Amino acid sequence: AKRAAKKAKRMGAPIDVVLLGGEYQMEHTINFDVGDSGTKKAPIRYVAAEGEKVVFTGATRLDTSKFRPVDKKIGEKLDESVRDKVVQINLKEQGIPEKIVNFTANHTNIGERVKAPFVILNGNEQSIARWPNSGYNTITDCEPGGTPRENPTQAGTIYYTGNRPSRWTEATDMYLEGYLGFFFHGEWAKVKDIDTENNAINMQTHTQYGIKKGSLWAAVNLLEEIDVPGEWYMDAKTMTMYYYPPYELTKEDRFEIATFDSNFISFNGAKYVTIEG
């Protein structure tokens, strides 16, 4: 359509590129540059057909009929009350790229938040498995660890009360998410291991502002913490997603994972071009 509009603009008249109603799966960014420009007297519009709904989507829809009960070994890691409610699906067979499933591998900058995938059920975002299910825990005792500026080789430690973290000792890709040093800076920090004898969660590296008493933390990306409807966890090694659906899903339910993580449309030097509807 862009190429056709380039040819047609030689006529010197306004141009409308009309998109019929429907859903357009985006696989790459549509780039508009100087050569795609219209003029003041002859602008170019890309518009939805009158009365029709046009949607660009960067999400891949999963076949909900492919969900099945979790394997027995996985079920043993879950809270007993939800073992018969959590289901699993092979994401590779559903066309989900490995880079989406293995999203924590892209987390190379210490002190930043991880960009977790968007998992969507009928337009509503679902939650990555975490503890607590909402809000945060307060850090009552800790080893502060280092920062990028001071003692960067020193990883910190958070001490906990209760025995909940004893369920996480086999977790391989666990993070603490929260405000570990200051309330103005949120981050994800990789966990090295859990010392149940000393009630300690040891970090793998330093954090942006160290760890301070009174700060806030939550444990995230944990298979073991799928315990409320809507929570999910992705295993990058097996390309499997584990999910606690709020009800029994049918083929009518729209269950999606965002797989396109770039801009839908990019403008660089283009003028007198509009996108409408």
Side-chain angles (χ1 to χ4, degrees):
K2 284 205 311 164
R3 288 193 294 269
K6 274 186 179 181
K7 292 180 181 179
K9 70 181 183 181
R10 298 173 191 163
M11 306 297 292
I15 297 169
D16 280 359
V17 177
V18 181
L19 282 77
L20 298 180
E23 188 172 284
Y24 296 83
Q25 182 77 34
M26 303 297 286
E27 296 180 354
H28 58 81
T29 301
I30 301 173
N31 296 295
F32 290 84
D33 57 26
V34 175
D36 297 305
S37 296
T39 66
K40 188 173 183 178
K41 290 184 178 180
I44 301 174
R45 298 193 313 155
Y46 290 78
V47 299
E50 186 174 353
E52 297 190 24
K53 184 177 181 180
V54 175
V55 176
F56 287 179
T57 179
T60 297
R61 186 170 180 175
L62 275 60
D63 181 354
T64 55
S65 70
K66 299 298 183 181
F67 277 111
R68 60 182 178 84
V70 295
D71 298 334
K72 183 179 179 181
K73 235 177 154 181
I74 295 297
E76 291 172 353
K77 296 183 179 183
L78 300 171
D79 190 278
E80 190 174 355
S81 64
V82 301
R83 288 175 185 171
D84 61 342
K85 299 182 175 77
V86 177
V87 293
Q88 66 183 63
I89 190 170
N90 186 299
L91 295 179
K92 186 175 183 179
E93 293 175 356
Q94 295 293 308
I96 306 300
E98 184 180 352
K99 69 174 185 177
I100 299 297
V101 181
N102 194 18
F103 63 95
T104 60
N106 301 321
H107 183 62
T108 56
N109 295 324
I110 293 170
E112 293 185 350
R113 286 189 181 277
V114 171
K115 185 180 179 183
F118 284 101
V119 177
I120 307 149
L121 175 62
N122 297 326
N124 298 308
E125 186 179 356
Q126 306 298 281
S127 303
I128 190 169
R130 73 193 301 272
W131 184 82
N133 291 318
S134 61
Y136 294 92
N137 302 292
T138 300
I139 298 173
T140 55
D141 197 9
C142 65
E143 300 291 339
T147 71
R149 295 158 296 282
E150 298 179 3
N151 303 320
T153 60
Q154 183 65 45
T157 296
I158 288 177
Y159 295 102
Y160 61 86
T161 57
N163 61 1
R164 189 75 179 189
S166 63
R167 304 178 64 228
W168 311 333
T169 55
E170 295 182 15
T172 58
D173 203 18
M174 172 185 167
Y175 283 78
L176 294 191
E177 182 270 317
Y179 304 85
L180 307 179
F182 289 105
F183 289 111
F184 63 75
H185 180 80
E187 63 184 297
W188 282 44
K190 185 74 181 283
V191 171
K192 178 184 177 183
D193 56 42
I194 296 175
D195 178 355
T196 55
E197 287 189 11
N198 295 301
N199 283 20
I201 300 175
N202 298 311
M203 310 312 300
Q204 184 165 287
T205 65
H206 66 272
T207 53
Q208 184 65 24
Y209 296 105
I211 299 173
K212 294 181 173 59
K213 293 181 182 180
S215 297
L216 304 176
W217 68 278
V220 296
N221 202 37
L222 284 163
L223 166 69
E224 294 82 355
E225 285 304 328
I226 300 179
D227 59 357
V228 294
E231 282 193 317
W232 58 266
Y233 168 78
M234 296 181 186
D235 186 329
K237 289 183 179 179
T238 63
M239 290 290 288
T240 302
M241 178 181 190
Y242 302 95
Y243 175 60
Y244 184 173
Y247 50 83
E248 186 173 349
L249 302 181
T250 71
K251 63 179 181 179
E252 305 301 323
D253 288 298
R254 191 179 183 94
F255 191 85
E256 303 168 290
I257 296 176
T259 50
F260 182 64
D261 58 359
S262 299
N263 294 328
F264 286 167
I265 300 169
S266 172
F267 287 93
N268 183 15
K271 298 181 180 180
Y272 299 105
V273 178
T274 60
I275 311 291
E276 299 180 16

